[in-house]
Each structure stands twice: as C-alpha cells, then as structure tokens.
Amino acid sequence: MSPEEIIAQSLQDSRVEGITVLGGEPFEQPEPLAKLLTLAWKNKLSTVVFTGYTHEQLLANGLPAVTTALCHTDVLIDGPYRKEERDFSRPLVGSANQRFLFLTDRYVMDDFPPNRVEVRIGKDGSIALNGMGPMEKIIRKIKEF
C-alpha cells in the first residue's frame, strides 16, 4: 500500500488523528520518511516519530530530506534504548536517556497516557501480555494469581 493510500484510508476512519513512525530506524530512509510526513501534514494528521538518533545528530546531518522530515514532525522521541538506563516511568519509552521533543504545539506531555500492560488469560490457561512496563513485576503478579 502506498503512503497516499494509507493516508486516504486513515482519513476515512474518523478516530485516526495521526501517524506514528518507528523502527527499524526511520531516518535511515529520509526521503520516503519526508514524503510520508509531508503527506500526513497536508492531510492535517499529527506526526510522532521515534528515532535512535538524537535531535542534534539529525540536525547536524544536513540532508534536505532529514530537515523536511523534522519540519513535519509534531513530536520527536529521540535517543537509543539503553538497557542500563531502563526506566518505565514515562509513557512510550523504555530508558531514561530518551527524550520527548515537542517540535510543534500540537501535543504536550499530558496527552500521552501512562504505560500499561494488558494481561489476557485464555480458557486453556495461556497468558498473553501486551503493552509496556516492568515485566518482572508483572510476571510476579501473574504467578501470584
């Protein structure tokens, strides 16, 4: 499906307010990323982009497509996940070094709900987890159950 088709389909669903772009590494393909984000903006969709690079690294890159992508990003969540800095106290990110950079005034931190984990226990006793949080605590609670 082309980016244009994805956007058109999104606009048909009134619950869609925007797009989120994440790994691999979106900025490893800056031209298609810039095209997608520009198209989203033209259609008044919000944009959140995760990257393992820092904002400063992206700005120093100097490629026009990187600049275009950043100009069409509402929220940039930057920095690599670092296991030694693991932290689930903030939504969406897993390590303390990762930053929320609000490049427009479309969102503020309170717009992002806290991390949560959904636990589903099947009739056969199987357990399915979905979400993000301190897994060792979650697993301990499940075992207590």
Side-chain angles (χ1 to χ4, degrees), residues 20-81:
T20 301
V21 183
L22 58 152
E25 171 51 56
F27 285 94
E28 288 296 317
Q29 300 179 54
E31 291 82 10
L33 176 64
K35 183 177 178 181
L36 175 64
L37 296 174
T38 300
L39 185 60
W41 266 47
K42 285 181 183 176
N43 286 282
K44 299 183 179 15
L45 292 171
S46 65
T47 57
V48 177
V49 180
F50 285 77
T51 179
Y53 294 111
T54 65
H55 187 233
E56 293 78 10
Q57 288 170 322
L58 293 172
L59 292 174
N61 175 290
L63 289 175
V66 170
T67 302
T68 299
L70 290 171
C71 287
H72 293 93
T73 299
D74 292 305
V75 181
L76 182 72
I77 301 174
D78 78 342
Y81 169 76

Side-chain angles (χ1 to χ4, degrees), residues 23 25 40 49 57 67 78 80 84 95 102 106 111 120-121 123 137:
E25 171 51 56
V49 180
Q57 288 170 322
T67 302
D78 78 342
E84 66 276 7
S95 62
F102 297 89
R106 189 166 190 158
D111 291 323
R120 292 184 181 197
I121 302 174
K123 291 179 183 179
K137 285 184 181 180

